[in-house]
Amino acid sequence: MKAPKTAGINFILVTVLIDAISFGIVIPVFPELIKTMQGCNDGQAAVITSWMMASFAIAQFIFSPVQGSLSDRFGRRPILLASLFGFGLDYLLLAFAPSIGWLFAGRIIAGILGASYTTALAYVADVSTDEDKAKNYGKLGAAFGLGFILGPGIGGLLGEMHLKLPFIVCAILSLVNWLYGLFILPESHKPENVMRFEKKSFIPGISLVQAIQYKKILGLMLSFFLLYLAAQAVMTNWSFYTIHKFQWGTTQIGISITVVGLMVAFVQGFLVRKVNPILGNHRSVTVGLLLYAAGMLGFGLAPSGFIMIIAIIPYCLGGINGPAMQAMMSNNVSDNEQGKLQGVITSLQSLTSIFGPLLMGGIFEYFTAEGHIYFPGAAFITGAALILAAWIIALVSMKKQGIYRA
């Protein structure tokens, strides 16, 4: 069984890496492509891009439970392969899109297919022991971090040659990965764990209702939601904040994002394997949340760009939390509901991507506008408060449910 499991894990890692690279590749070219197609200025292009991001997140929020339930019913392999093939076709659609409407259609389709990450997480749960789950989830995080580093740089270079070349390269990567999986990816979902598909999975927002049934880990889910909501302070405001407060240019911003990517890859790919066996999942969750909060406070109160870079260290070290929290939630759900669980988790994450930018962007705008109290780091302080709330909820919940060992 070891060889098929290894082949499966390796394929999932390659898939996450390619997905992250593909996501990053198109980031540098979207603004220029939109301006070219619409004949609009930077501000108008930014608004259109925001709506595209929201449409992607909404589609993922709705369809993550669907993909999770489908993978519980029909297996992980067919769902993953169908998504990869669909991704390839979708990138071709984006490459040859004749209008902005087609670009929106492409991003919505990508959001639907992007819910395949749900199935990837369920696959890892299937082939991992309880002890190995945090380590394997950490590997997924490392693959994503590496793709996050490589993608934008590759996209910038390809975009200089032709604005639509990055989409064609993404299509090729997805289709080659699909072909690779067609021959080597084994099924991980055992026949005895097959579940009947629930049509109610198609109901928008059903994941929020489904989350309530997992009473033992409901507190962890709420903690997870608050953490990802807080993270939108960084994802939404990083460039605007550093430009506004420290007068950073594109070079400094690019370097800082590269530092984040390298730190994420190090923490998820190496540190989690060393720290998790020592701390255990429960302490990795709580210590990780405190490190996240410390980093977020550092961002919000940083008096200089140098301190901003230093604050990246505790913030990224907080990444020991993610694989441990995923493992704890997975370990407390039956084997035949792993896909459904991951669908709920991905939906919660997508929900923060819909409302988080509006909240954190609005806070930044309010506290930098004339006539208001001037505090450009307010969104980061808000994020730190949310993470501390997540820490309290996680700690109380784990102790109450008997899954925290002192």
Side-chain angles (χ1 to χ4, degrees), residues 220-228 325-326 329 345 349:
L220 287 176
M221 285 187 175
L222 179 55
S223 177
F224 176 91
F225 174 80
L226 291 175
L227 173 61
Y228 272 83
M325 188 177 284
Q326 282 273 4
M329 289 190 285
I345 293 172
Q349 186 176 343

Side-chain angles (χ1 to χ4, degrees), residues 16-17 22 25 121 143 151 161 171 176 190 192 235 293 300 319 321 327 332 375 386 392:
V16 171
L17 176 63
S22 298
I25 280 178
L121 291 168
M161 301 177 198
V176 168
K190 296 178 182 178
E192 61 267 27
M235 299 174 70
N321 161 279
N332 285 280
F375 187 21
L386 289 171
I392 294 170

Side-chain angles (χ1 to χ4, degrees), residues 231-269:
Q232 291 297 328
V234 177
M235 299 174 70
T236 302
N237 293 328
W238 186 267
S239 296
F240 296 106
Y241 177 71
T242 53
I243 291 170
H244 179 85
K245 189 170 182 178
F246 308 122
Q247 292 75 54
W248 279 8
T250 54
T251 300
Q252 293 97 321
I253 293 171
I255 290 172
S256 68
I257 292 174
T258 300
V259 171
V260 170
L262 289 170
M263 282 290 296
V264 168
F266 167 74
V267 171
Q268 301 280 323

Side-chain angles (χ1 to χ4, degrees), residues 159-378:
E160 289 292 327
M161 301 177 198
H162 194 284
L163 278 177
K164 294 193 174 182
L165 182 58
F167 299 103
I168 296 174
V169 171
C170 289
I172 293 171
L173 286 173
S174 294
L175 291 173
V176 168
N177 194 32
W178 165 76
L179 193 61
Y180 168 52
L182 197 62
F183 290 100
I184 69 96
L185 181 65
E187 178 56 67
S188 65
H189 197 45
K190 296 178 182 178
E192 61 267 27
N193 291 330
V194 169
M195 288 279 286
R196 183 174 61 86
F197 178 71
E198 298 177 331
K199 292 181 181 179
K200 64 182 180 182
S201 297
F202 283 102
I203 302 173
I206 189 63
S207 57
L208 302 181
V209 177
Q210 291 174 331
I212 299 172
Q213 78 182 70
Y214 300 116
K215 292 183 172 58
K216 194 170 185 179
I217 57 172
L218 191 58
L220 287 176
M221 285 187 175
L222 179 55
S223 177
F224 176 91
F225 174 80
L226 291 175
L227 173 61
Y228 272 83
L229 183 62
Q232 291 297 328
V234 177
M235 299 174 70
T236 302
N237 293 328
W238 186 267
S239 296
F240 296 106
Y241 177 71
T242 53
I243 291 170
H244 179 85
K245 189 170 182 178
F246 308 122
Q247 292 75 54
W248 279 8
T250 54
T251 300
Q252 293 97 321
I253 293 171
I255 290 172
S256 68
I257 292 174
T258 300
V259 171
V260 170
L262 289 170
M263 282 290 296
V264 168
F266 167 74
V267 171
Q268 301 280 323
F270 174 77
L271 196 61
V272 166
R273 286 182 292 161
K274 303 297 181 182
V275 170
N276 188 267
I278 298 171
L279 294 179
N281 286 330
H282 53 295
R283 288 197 186 91
S284 294
V285 167
T286 53
V287 172
L289 286 169
L290 290 176
L291 286 167
Y292 270 132
M296 195 73 83
L297 280 172
F299 295 151
L301 301 175
S304 67
F306 175 74
I307 300 300
M308 194 75 178
I309 294 294
I310 294 299
I312 289 174
I313 297 173
Y315 184 77
C316 288
L317 288 176
I320 63 172
N321 161 279
M325 188 177 284
Q326 282 273 4
M328 289 192 77
M329 289 190 285
S330 176
N331 289 343
N332 285 280
V333 171
S334 63
D335 290 341
N336 60 4
E337 290 192 281
Q338 290 296 324
K340 185 177 180 180
L341 169 68
Q342 297 303 335
V344 172
I345 293 172
T346 305
S347 280
L348 291 174
Q349 186 176 343
S350 300
L351 196 61
T352 67
S353 299
I354 299 169
F355 298 107
L358 297 175
L359 172 64
M360 298 304 180
I363 291 173
F364 177 76
E365 181 185 23
Y366 182 87
F367 283 97
T368 55
E370 291 184 13
H372 298 146
I373 297 172
Y374 180 74
F375 187 21

